[in-house]
Amino acid sequence: MAIKLIVGLGNPGKDYQSHRHNVGFWFCDALANLYSATFKKESKFSGDVTQVTISGLSVRLLKPNTFMNRSGRSIQALAKFYQLDAVEILVVHDELDLDFGTAKLKAEGGHGGHNGLRDTIKALSTKSFYRLRLGIGHPGDKSQVADYVLHAPNKSELTQIQNAMTDALQVIDDVVKGDTDKAMKNLHTKD
């Protein structure tokens, strides 16, 4: 099944843009940049939306303006409006359980404590959507997670995150075309 919507999870506003929690936004920005697309605010979807053509297929990019914990509202509004099935959606998010520089593609699954995913699962009433997980490392202690995700990565971490995004951008054509097995094989197999 082809992907028709790519959602980057993050928090809106200048205060949050450099935070680890916003790597989903960064990925959507990189994708929009790659295809010379510009986001515009769409109040009916509570988010910033643009459209790109990847491998001949029309794909919408969405950055919810609802803050991380309410991401599902924005995703559900757009999916409902364009009559998209959950399996046609790719959600891009930060992943504490992956090291910096790691990008993993996943078909469905739980939320793993990620509030943006938790709200998306609730809003779509299913776990059956694709995820692109971008590693941001773990602070080491559960009690430090909230503070950790709301801070900017250091220079070396940022470089590694950017490398992971580059790796993911190289397989996005296959992901969009629905050839997720090929995309996973290429993304998950490092030289």
Side-chain angles (χ1 to χ4, degrees), residues 72-169:
R73 189 175 84 201
S74 172
I75 299 167
Q76 191 223 16
L78 193 144
K80 191 175 175 186
F81 186 85
Y82 291 108
Q83 299 179 322
L84 303 178
D85 288 326
V87 292
E88 298 174 305
I89 300 172
L90 172 69
V91 175
V92 186
H93 65 90
D94 56 307
E95 180 57 71
L96 288 159
D97 296 332
L98 293 176
D99 289 333
F100 290 100
T102 306
K104 297 270 188 200
L105 192 61
K106 185 178 177 181
E108 63 183 63
H111 56 70
H114 193 291
N115 289 332
L117 286 179
R118 179 183 281 127
D119 196 61
T120 302
I121 291 167
K122 188 175 156 198
L124 296 177
S125 303
T126 181
K127 297 174 180 176
S128 299
F129 53 89
Y130 285 92
R131 299 97 192 278
L132 175 60
R133 304 154 66 217
L134 297 170
I136 60 164
H138 197 287
D141 190 319
K142 203 175 166 183
S143 66
Q144 297 171 340
V145 166
D147 190 50
Y148 177 78
V149 297
L150 294 176
H151 278 85
N154 66 37
K155 213 171 178 173
S156 127
E157 293 168 347
L158 182 60
T159 300
Q160 291 177 74
I161 290 169
Q162 287 167 334
N163 291 342
M165 290 195 333
T166 300
D167 291 344
L169 287 169

Side-chain angles (χ1 to χ4, degrees), residues 4-5 52 65 68 74 79 97 149 152 154 158 161 177 185:
K4 296 181 180 169
L5 171 62
V52 295
N65 287 333
M68 186 63 84
S74 172
D97 296 332
V149 297
N154 66 37
L158 182 60
I161 290 169
K177 288 187 292 194
K185 186 172 182 263

